[in-house]
Amino acid sequence: SKIPAEKTILEIVPIQDLRQVTITWPIVFSSKEERELYRLNKPDYFVASLLGHEGAGSLLSYLKEKRWANALGASDNADLADFGTFEVTVELTTLGLNAIDDVCEAIFSYIQMMKTTPIPNYVFDENLQLDELEWRFTTKGSASNYVQSLVTAMDKFPP
């Protein structure tokens, strides 16, 4: 099995019709410098982009082909002083809920493939272009929210 041996499974009975699986990894930093380097390089951004890709050859296309999933999202979640978390959430079909171990194995297999295969340069270029477009066409928000985001960023990123 591709699923790590040590795992904690928390099963929750939802109050609405909801079928999903979320896998969460802690990202622990050994120093303030390591944390700053992580924030500047944003490796989670690229990993989330690759895991969340929806085109041909993607994890989601494989899960949809198997009729196990309708949607998939990947992103960083908690952003605390000494650690963060990274999550992959899959919205499951009824078949996917019944094949949850296979869905989790597919996620870990895809991550293993990402670790052993170099990331093509076009992935970095596409993300850069998307960021530039988002910055260029961002909607104007309230001044107080903008100031608050700047103050938060000043605390997170070195001058």
Side-chain angles (χ1 to χ4, degrees):
S1 174
K2 300 278 185 196
I3 302 172
E6 293 186 33
K7 60 184 174 181
T8 300
I9 298 175
L10 179 62
E11 294 185 22
I12 299 170
V13 178
I15 58 172
Q16 64 184 32
D17 186 22
L18 179 68
R19 293 178 306 272
Q20 74 179 33
V21 61
T22 300
I23 301 173
T24 305
W25 293 268
I27 304 168
V28 181
F29 304 103
S30 60
S31 67
K32 186 176 180 177
E33 293 76 23
E34 184 181 22
R35 174 64 167 186
E36 288 177 8
L37 187 63
Y38 180 86
R39 283 184 173 153
L40 291 172
N41 291 327
K42 301 179 183 180
D44 56 323
Y45 180 77
F46 294 103
V47 172
S49 174
L50 291 166
L51 283 169
H53 181 64
E54 297 181 358
S58 67
L59 175 59
L60 181 59
S61 69
Y62 172 78
L63 295 173
K64 282 184 170 183
E65 181 182 302
K66 294 286 193 178
R67 298 180 23 214
W68 290 340
N70 295 317
L72 183 147
S75 68
D76 63 331
N77 190 13
D79 185 19
L80 304 170
D82 57 348
F83 81 97
T85 60
F86 185 84
E87 288 187 349
V88 174
T89 299
V90 181
E91 181 187 312
L92 301 167
T93 63
T94 305
L95 288 173
L97 187 59
N98 292 330
I100 197 155
D101 285 344
D102 295 322
V103 171
C104 291
E105 187 170 324
I107 294 167
F108 282 99
S109 293
Y110 197 85
I111 291 169
Q112 185 61 35
M113 181 189 70
M114 289 171 50
K115 288 167 62 175
T116 59
T117 306
I119 297 172
N121 285 334
Y122 75 84
V123 172
F124 299 105
D125 296 339
E126 282 179 1
N127 280 295
L128 179 62
Q129 288 176 347
L130 289 171
D131 283 350
E132 287 173 350
L133 287 171
E134 183 180 344
W135 173 254
R136 189 169 165 205
F137 295 105
T138 190
T139 57
K140 192 171 185 177
S142 73
S144 63
N145 287 345
Y146 182 62
V147 169
Q148 187 176 10
S149 71
L150 289 176
V151 169
T152 302
M154 288 172 64
D155 186 45
K156 284 184 178 179
F157 298 101

